[in-house]
Amino acid sequence: MSTAGAPAATAASAATATATAGRSQNNILFAWFAGSMASCGAVTFTNPFEVVKTRLQLQGELARASPGMTRPYHNVAQAFWVIGKNEGIRGLQKGLGPGYMYQIMLNGTRLGFYEPTKNAMYQVFAGRPSDAAGKQVLPLNVAAGGLCGMAGAALGSPFFLVKTRMQSASKFAAVGYQHNYTSAVDGLRKIWREGGVRGLYRGMDAAMMRAGSGSAVQLATYDHCKSYIARNLAHRGLDGNSVLTHFLASMVTGFFVCTVMNPFDVVSTRMYNQKAASAGHGGVLYKNPLQCFYKTVSTEGVFSLYKGFLAHYLRLGPHTILMFVFVEQIKALGKKYF
């Protein structure tokens, strides 16, 4: 039996494996780029609602409701008007710079690594690739989304920390502790001086809970909704590549994400904004997210965990819609031209 073809076959297999690995690496890099650009585009439009949400969540922190309590912000519309009137466009766009960096870290990571992570989990637990014929396995999608979200939140935590503190700052209607940073760089420098690396990553555990829960719901629900719409409404032109399909899937996704994530978002905002304890270790009000949950609920009631819900949805709903519509279009352009 001849073995002359064996080396050639081995070389061909090696070349195929190398090419496959290269394509996989390029796909991850392009997905990271698409997720970063799409989320930065989305946050440009939705950042004003993030400012409003942050201030509503910090208003009345650890204070029992009473008839004489001063509340500078009464609802989303009034808060938007008060901030815009007294602080202008710059007030409504506070924290946009670190917001961009956070979006690149968070969404670049979770959207870039979501498909590879999901595919690996499908191979291990379902014995098939995630894009093979067959229904989506929702628990695997949730797990993959959660893992990628937590990784992204950990990487972007210092930028979210500075963003939150910049957005809470106001000379007209201050809520929460006022850090008064002149810029994102000024904020990072002061935090480093006060607490070093530990200071920069203060509140990261709360942020990982927030992003993990939100990403698990967002990425998994979006996948599920998009597949459902494409499967059942393709005859109406709503296939997997339709902009309207992406829009409808994003609308549904935004509501579910906001419902699940808002309690973690309140805790995360408060953990980030609190004053640092002496020597920069820990915070004055809360030692950890669980204590923040407990103190918030015991003092302000269960519904305090849903402070800023409408502002959160008005930010998250459009942000989810814009981000997924942008990312799908960027991916389509990538497939067409690259």
Side-chain angles (χ1 to χ4, degrees):
M1 184 175 178
S2 175
T3 60
T10 303
S13 298
T16 302
T18 302
T20 302
R23 282 196 300 272
S24 176
Q25 207 169 38
N26 289 337
N27 287 341
I28 293 172
L29 287 173
F30 185 75
W32 181 86
F33 171 78
S36 298
M37 293 302 99
S39 57
C40 283
V43 81
T44 303
F45 296 98
T46 61
N47 191 65
F49 289 105
E50 179 77 1
V51 174
V52 170
K53 180 211 71 166
T54 298
R55 297 195 185 180
L56 287 170
Q57 289 178 342
L58 289 171
Q59 182 171 252
E61 185 175 16
L62 299 185
R64 297 187 184 278
S66 62
M69 180 184 290
T70 303
R71 294 172 63 242
Y73 308 111
H74 303 298
N75 53 57
V76 175
Q78 184 264 356
F80 200 100
W81 169 256
V82 167
I83 296 168
K85 180 183 177 182
N86 295 282
E87 301 174 45
I89 296 295
R90 291 185 66 180
L92 288 168
Q93 287 288 21
K94 277 187 174 180
L96 184 60
Y100 282 143
M101 292 304 300
Y102 177 71
Q103 292 298 325
I104 290 170
M105 294 296 179
L106 175 67
N107 287 307
T109 300
R110 68 185 188 135
L111 294 178
F113 289 93
Y114 174 61
E115 288 296 336
T117 303
K118 184 176 74 167
N119 193 53
M121 296 184 79
Y122 269 71
Q123 292 281 16
V124 172
F125 297 105
R128 62 178 174 86
S130 60
D131 57 355
K135 290 185 176 180
Q136 292 285 309
V137 182
L138 191 58
L140 294 182
N141 295 354
V142 169
L147 286 171
C148 293
M150 287 190 288
L155 288 172
S157 186
F159 299 107
F160 199 98
L161 172 67
V162 173
K163 178 186 76 70
T164 300
R165 293 180 174 186
M166 290 179 71
Q167 290 175 339
S168 69
S170 172
K171 293 180 180 178
F172 176 77
V175 290
Y177 184 77
Q178 300 290 287
H179 295 272
N180 299 316
Y181 301 143
T182 57
S183 66
V185 174
D186 176 59
L188 289 169
R189 188 185 296 119
K190 286 179 177 176
I191 294 166
W192 173 264
R193 213 160 40 225
E194 290 172 0
V197 174
R198 287 183 64 178
L200 287 172
Y201 282 90
R202 183 182 301 116
M204 184 181 73
D205 45 1
M208 289 176 70
M209 291 166 64
R210 171 189 178 275
S213 62
S215 298
V217 176
Q218 186 179 58
L219 296 174
T221 307
Y222 179 77
D223 258 3
H224 192 73
C225 289
K226 190 173 80 166
S227 297
Y228 179 86
I229 293 168
R231 194 167 58 246
N232 293 281
L233 298 174
H235 63 286
R236 294 178 178 265
L238 298 178
D239 59 20
N241 296 315
S242 164
V243 174
L244 186 56
T245 299
H246 305 157
F247 178 81
L248 292 173
S250 298
M251 282 182 66
V252 176
T253 299
F255 176 78
F256 282 108
V257 172
C258 197
T259 302
V260 170
M261 195 167 74
N262 205 82
F264 298 102
D265 197 55
V266 170
V267 169
S268 180
T269 298
R270 294 185 172 192
M271 288 286 293
Y272 274 136
N273 194 66
Q274 67 177 329
K275 182 182 178 181
S278 58
H281 300 314
V284 169
L285 297 177
Y286 319 106
K287 294 179 181 178
N288 55 59
L290 291 178
Q291 188 188 48
C292 185
F293 266 112
Y294 174 77
K295 291 178 78 170
T296 299
V297 172
S298 61
T299 307
E300 303 171 55
V302 174
F303 289 109
S304 62
L305 295 175
Y306 280 89
K307 277 187 173 182
F309 179 86
L310 181 57
H312 193 187
Y313 182 72
L314 290 174
R315 184 202 73 86
L316 193 63
H319 184 91
T320 303
I321 292 165
L322 288 169
M323 185 182 72
F324 279 120
V325 168
F326 287 164
V327 83
E328 294 285 3
Q329 298 314 302
I330 292 170
K331 283 182 178 179
L333 287 172
K335 288 177 182 177
K336 184 177 181 180
Y337 294 106
F338 302 102

